[in-house]
Amino acid sequence: MSLAPAVPSYASGTSEVPLLGDTIGDNFDRTALAQPDVDALVEVPTGRRWTYGELRTEVDAVALGLVAAGLEKGDRLGIWAPNVAEWTLVQYATAKIGVVLVNINPAYRTHELEYVLKQAGISVLVAATAFKTSDYAAMIQEVRPNCPDLRQVVLIGTPDWDALVEPGRTGDAAELARRQADLSPDDPINIQYTSGTTGFPKGATLSHHNILNNGYNVGRLCGYGPEDRVCIPVPFYHCFGMVMGNLACTSNGSTMVIPGQGFDPKATLHAVQQERCTSLYGVPTMFIAELNDPTFGDYDLSSLRTGIMAGSPCPVEVMKQVVDRMGMTEVSICYGMTETSPVSTQTRVDDSLERRVATVGRVGPHLEVKVVDPETGLTLPRGEPGELCTRGYSVMLGYWNEPDKTAESIDAARWMHTGDIGIMDDEGYLNITGRIKDMVIRGGENVYPREIEEFLYTHPDILDAQVIGVPDAKYGEELCAWVTLRDGAEELTVEKVREFATGKLAHYKIPRYVMVVDEFPMTVTGKVRKVEMREKSVGLLGLEDAAAVRNA
């Protein structure tokens, strides 16, 4: 008697709604022409607001200003700023003229800024003058002599910005239409840098088709329409803000609400109340901060219906509180990665509460996912853990100017290998249980230990360094560095490491814990056992409670 074959860990997302064949600019225009009087963008701190009709006029002025500045299709424009309205204007303006927008993390320091400017060949940089403790203007001045492609810097909120936009207000609308018509949905339009396993970030290159459809489908699964107002405290430089936030809104006709330049729990709760937001986004850390704010009870959040929690493993208890205390009964968990535009799986409104709080949902429309044996590449039976892979419209074009790195991540059949360990159940729902690669996700920020290790090697007292992620109740994970010291080196403390890294590394890449050891745990073949290091660190640092938190 032969047994029936096991059901494979494979699922494809069916949909009666077709993919969009538009460019981002054309799709935006369609929405603006259909509902010119609906609110499109609200910047709460400044009180600035635009209807769709007004926003289209402003976007076109910025686009024609960029044309007047000499930008051509395929040129790269960098944007280095926190969440401000100008970020959104530049996002849509570049898309209209085929200029590739390069997102630069607001936390970057000079070392990272210079690398990205050179690697992407950025010719124009639009930047804030400063944000938090970062003096952007000074940092740009410092690296500019080393960046030969950079010919123009436009600082937001200064006469630079007005000088860029003013020529566009009297520009030739026919020229803009011609440039728009010359674009293909498959053209690259966005580069987002993900921390690099080899010491430097890689530029995930995304097309109109990639990110427009991902935003559209994520928004559709949240039920968005013109009556929805989405509070976006997550950063625009990340797919969460600019795709799941901005593009989900404009492709579904909803309103983008900016609660502040950077995340602040009170400002976010205030924006939800003032603008009667129906949806709120955040990584788990943000929701925890809002729920624990002493003034939480003072805000009227009754307008909230839905929202998205993503970017980090989502603690089950936090999800339950978001549903119960914030009234977000239709809240959704999304899972994905920058290289997949970003969302591959999402929970649905009609999923049971247990499914919505304890899984990352099932495959999105028009996408495929499978769980494979990392060694053989063969699809595993359902219920068995393996590497999660995804395929479809969302998979990036590749890493900018790095074909070898692209080939390591996307196989010949166009499956993106995520490096995450997933388990698919009988109904097609997924749980993420760990990572094959040792990437650390700290509060929604992807950090590759190798990048930090390479940096720590430059410290005069450090002989060798290994960086791991350890559990953290607030950020999901924190960085812990195990280091061995050179002979005769002085005692090394966390404070000394922080001092050495401050100003050179983004704050979220600086290890919270530093452990000086004589040697690292090794396998017989000489490989460092990071799993064992993590287990030991949990005990040595007293992180058992954080390690016990259950995530989707």
Side-chain angles (χ1 to χ4, degrees):
M1 186 179 76
S2 62
L3 295 172
V7 179
S9 293
Y10 167 88
S12 62
T14 57
S15 178
E16 294 176 3
V17 179
L19 288 170
L20 300 171
D22 283 339
T23 60
I24 290 168
D26 286 352
N27 181 266
F28 173 74
D29 285 349
R30 264 183 238 290
T31 301
L33 290 166
Q35 48 178 64
D37 299 325
V38 170
D39 281 351
L41 178 64
V42 179
E43 188 180 69
V44 176
T46 62
R48 296 188 293 172
R49 54 182 67 229
W50 294 261
T51 63
Y52 267 98
E54 291 164 345
L55 189 64
R56 185 186 182 212
T57 299
E58 199 64 16
V59 164
D60 287 358
V62 176
L64 283 165
L66 295 172
V67 169
L71 282 166
E72 299 287 344
K73 177 183 174 181
D75 287 348
R76 273 80 63 207
L77 177 147
I79 183 152
W80 195 28
N83 285 18
V84 290
E86 285 81 3
W87 209 111
T88 305
L89 294 172
V90 170
Q91 178 184 346
Y92 288 89
T94 48
K96 282 197 163 205
I97 58 173
V99 166
V100 180
L101 182 71
V102 183
N103 302 6
I104 304 175
N105 188 328
Y108 273 4
R109 311 305 294 180
T110 49
H111 173 71
E112 299 143 316
L113 172 66
E114 182 178 322
Y115 175 77
V116 167
L117 289 170
K118 287 157 82 168
Q119 205 273 335
I122 289 170
S123 56
V124 174
L125 176 63
V126 176
T129 53
F131 177 56
K132 293 186 176 174
T133 59
S134 297
D135 184 342
Y136 288 172
M139 282 195 269
I140 294 166
Q141 208 168 353
E142 185 183 329
V143 303
R144 195 169 182 177
N146 304 326
C147 302
D149 294 318
L150 184 61
R151 56 181 172 78
Q152 185 176 355
V153 174
V154 178
L155 296 177
I156 295 167
T158 74
D160 291 359
W161 176 260
D162 299 330
L164 173 76
V165 181
E166 283 312 313
R169 297 198 190 284
T170 53
D172 183 359
E175 170 66 8
L176 180 57
R178 185 190 68 73
R179 291 194 180 224
Q180 236 173 292
D182 191 36
L183 305 180
S184 160
D186 296 319
D187 290 337
I189 202 63
N190 184 219
I191 298 175
Q192 299 198 31
Y193 279 86
T194 65
S195 280
T197 49
T198 54
F200 281 109
K202 296 173 293 191
T205 307
L206 304 166
S207 67
H208 294 264
H209 192 69
N210 287 151
I211 57 178
L212 175 61
N213 277 291
N214 204 258
Y216 174 62
N217 280 294
V218 166
R220 209 169 52 73
L221 291 182
C222 288
Y224 289 167
E227 67 290 339
D228 281 294
R229 304 171 73 79
V230 184
C231 185
I232 310 172
V234 293
F236 287 155
Y237 83 86
H238 194 279
C239 269
F240 201 169
M242 71 162 282
V243 178
M244 299 155 70
N246 291 348
L247 284 167
C249 286
T250 60
S251 60
N252 288 287
S254 309
T255 305
M256 302 167 276
V257 177
I258 302 173
Q261 291 192 9
F263 174 68
D264 175 79
K266 287 186 174 62
T268 303
L269 295 167
H270 166 72
V272 169
Q273 174 178 276
Q274 178 185 296
E275 295 299 323
R276 306 299 294 152
C277 293
T278 57
S279 176
L280 172 61
Y281 287 4
V283 298
T285 314
M286 293 178 176
F287 284 106
I288 291 166
E290 289 153 11
L291 289 160
N292 291 332
D293 190 280
T295 62
F296 175 82
D298 299 342
Y299 296 96
D300 177 3
L301 308 179
S302 59
S303 57
L304 284 174
R305 165 182 72 80
T306 186
I308 295 175
M309 194 187 296
S312 239
C314 302
V316 172
E317 291 310 311
V318 177
M319 277 293 285
K320 288 179 176 172
Q321 284 195 54
V322 165
V323 171
D324 294 341
R325 296 178 58 205
M326 301 181 93
M328 292 166 57
T329 53
E330 298 177 13
V331 67
S332 183
I333 282 185
C334 292
Y335 161 81
M337 60 195 304
T338 305
E339 291 89 338
T340 55
S341 301
V343 176
S344 296
T345 72
Q346 185 172 355
T347 59
R348 313 299 206 262
V349 172
D350 53 0
D351 286 339
S352 68
L353 182 64
E354 181 59 23
R355 292 274 195 217
R356 284 194 290 124
V357 301
T359 76
V360 293
R362 45 201 167 94
V363 65
H366 304 287
L367 294 174
E368 299 171 90
V369 292
K370 65 178 179 178
V371 178
V372 303
D373 182 321
E375 297 299 317
T376 66
L378 295 175
T379 306
L380 292 164
R382 293 201 177 191
E384 288 193 25
E387 182 177 23
L388 181 62
C389 300
T390 184
R391 179 167 71 177
Y393 74 82
S394 69
V395 175
M396 67 173 178
L397 300 177
Y399 292 117
W400 185 259
N401 283 345
E402 295 198 82
D404 293 346
K405 296 280 190 299
T406 303
E408 288 170 17
S409 298
I410 302 173
D411 66 26
R414 290 290 298 169
W415 284 99
M416 177 78 206
H417 289 251
T418 66
D420 286 328
I421 300 169
I423 301 175
M424 185 183 292
D425 71 12
D426 291 339
E427 308 298 317
Y429 288 84
L430 281 154
N431 273 92
I432 306 300
T433 58
R435 284 182 295 285
I436 294 163
K437 303 166 186 172
D438 57 359
M439 183 177 77
V440 176
I441 303 182
R442 180 198 180 276
E445 298 281 7
N446 294 352
V447 185
Y448 280 93
R450 178 70 183 274
E451 184 181 355
I452 317 305
E453 289 160 3
E454 296 280 1
F455 175 77
L456 290 175
Y457 290 145
T458 67
H459 190 290
D461 292 338
I462 292 176
L463 178 66
D464 198 358
Q466 295 292 328
V467 173
I468 54 170
V470 293
D472 184 77
K474 183 176 181 182
Y475 292 106
E477 287 182 294
E478 272 284 10
L479 292 174
C480 174
W482 283 43
V483 298
T484 58
L485 300 183
R486 297 183 188 281
D487 288 339
E490 293 178 9
E491 184 189 353
L492 193 69
T493 61
V494 176
E495 290 71 26
K496 285 181 181 176
V497 171
R498 283 193 156 276
E499 190 178 321
F500 180 72
T502 300
K504 296 174 189 163
L505 284 183
H507 68 89
Y508 63 88
K509 295 180 184 175
I510 299 174
R512 179 170 176 188
Y513 306 105
V514 175
M515 300 176 65
V516 178
V517 295
D518 293 326
E519 58 184 8
F520 304 128
M522 310 282 259
T523 65
V524 247
T525 56
K527 288 183 180 172
V528 175
R529 286 185 49 79
K530 288 199 168 182
V531 172
E532 189 180 324
M533 287 168 61
R534 180 183 165 94
E535 287 168 0
K536 284 187 175 177
S537 298
V538 167
L540 291 168
L541 297 170
L543 302 175
E544 292 86 352
D545 288 350
V549 174
R550 196 159 67 102
N551 296 309

